[in-house]
Amino acid sequence: MADKRLVITIGRQYGSGGAETGRRLAEELGIGFYDKNILRVNSDESGIKESYFHLADEKAGSRLLYKIISSLTPEKGAPSFGSDLVSADNLFRFQSEVIRKLAAAESCVIIGRCADYVLEGTEGLVRIHIYADYEAREQRIREKNLYSEKEIKKNIKRIDRERRDYYKYYTGRDWESLENYDLAINTTAIGVEGAVQVVRNYLSLLGYDLER
């Protein structure tokens, strides 16, 4: 892996196991994994940099992330640090800048956040979409005990809608269109383990040496 850059982006339906698939892939491949640990920002008056510093420091192995974020000053970074600091559009510009710098610095897996669109044209980019049958997604969320039984369906629909609308707003594209991805995997029958193996097989076909 050291001699060939690999950046995997994963778009996923809620409850499909996409984030877990990405985490397992990153562990097996020995590359970075980035999800909410870097890209969720509290839109309050505390300021964007402090929020990012806090999140970046929560997980071990985030020194690269911290270094990248700390370099995004008003003079160097595209995002605004003015009155629109915590506006939705500015936060998207900020996280996009972080995503591009991470992808340029190391091989990694990035979950959601329109990363497939943000990194379009990047060398070594592999764009994956993870989905599953609705019943399988319900069961996965049920096992996590995140919601009461009557709230499960409502939250699956809500989060899928939010992701679909977010993607459409910032990219102008359909989140679930296969044209946006190199590989789409249904985890209903094969689960996370199977999805990881499918991706590894695909990477092998692309010429990546996955032996560690």
Side-chain angles (χ1 to χ4, degrees):
M1 292 295 299
D3 59 342
K4 192 173 182 180
R5 178 64 51 81
L6 172 63
V7 179
I8 299 173
T9 62
I10 298 182
R12 73 282 184 228
Q13 290 182 326
Y14 186 55
S16 65
E20 186 178 349
T21 298
R23 185 176 297 106
R24 294 290 297 276
L25 268 171
E27 290 174 355
E28 291 193 13
L29 299 178
I31 61 179
F33 175 77
Y34 299 105
D35 191 3
K36 295 175 183 177
N37 59 318
I38 60 166
L39 301 178
R40 177 185 291 170
V41 180
N42 297 322
S43 56
D44 53 29
E45 298 300 318
S46 63
I48 192 169
K49 289 196 291 187
E50 287 78 4
S51 297
Y52 267 75
F53 289 162
H54 172 72
L55 290 169
D57 200 38
E58 283 185 337
K59 270 204 163 187
S62 62
R63 291 181 180 177
L64 172 63
L65 172 63
Y66 188 94
K67 182 178 180 181
I68 286 174
I69 291 171
S70 65
S71 72
L72 291 178
T73 63
E75 294 76 25
K76 297 180 181 178
S80 167
F81 284 79
S83 60
D84 64 340
L85 176 68
V86 293
S87 70
D89 288 352
N90 192 55
L91 294 180
F92 181 78
R93 289 192 295 270
F94 192 94
Q95 73 173 23
S96 296
E97 192 78 1
V98 173
I99 287 171
R100 284 189 287 267
K101 288 179 178 291
L102 284 170
E106 64 172 8
S107 292
C108 57
V109 175
I110 302 175
I111 304 297
R113 281 80 195 178
C114 302
D116 57 290
Y117 173 80
V118 171
L119 296 175
E120 196 167 49
T122 298
E123 182 180 357
L125 177 64
V126 176
R127 307 163 301 166
I128 298 173
H129 183 67
I130 303 291
Y131 66 105
D133 295 354
Y134 196 86
E135 293 75 15
R137 296 163 62 197
E138 271 191 289
Q139 184 57 33
R140 180 180 293 276
I141 298 303
R142 184 176 293 114
E143 292 171 356
K144 292 179 178 294
N145 295 314
L146 296 174
Y147 311 105
S148 65
E149 184 63 29
K150 66 179 182 180
E151 295 290 315
I152 293 176
K153 288 184 178 181
K154 181 170 71 175
N155 280 284
I156 289 176
K157 291 179 180 178
R158 174 183 62 82
I159 294 174
D160 271 358
R161 183 179 65 253
E162 289 173 352
R163 291 177 179 175
R164 186 179 300 109
D165 292 347
Y166 179 85
Y167 192 90
K168 182 69 172 180
Y169 180 82
Y170 287 110
T171 72
R173 301 175 178 177
D174 180 359
W175 174 56
E176 293 168 306
S177 173
L178 296 181
E179 294 179 355
N180 299 322
Y181 307 101
D182 304 302
L183 182 66
I185 305 172
N186 186 331
T187 58
T188 303
I190 64 176
V192 169
E193 289 289 341
V196 170
Q197 189 57 53
V198 169
V199 177
R200 289 180 63 98
N201 291 344
Y202 181 74
L203 294 176
S204 294
L205 289 173
L206 291 178
Y208 285 93
D209 180 5
L210 305 183
E211 296 299 324
R212 292 184 60 194

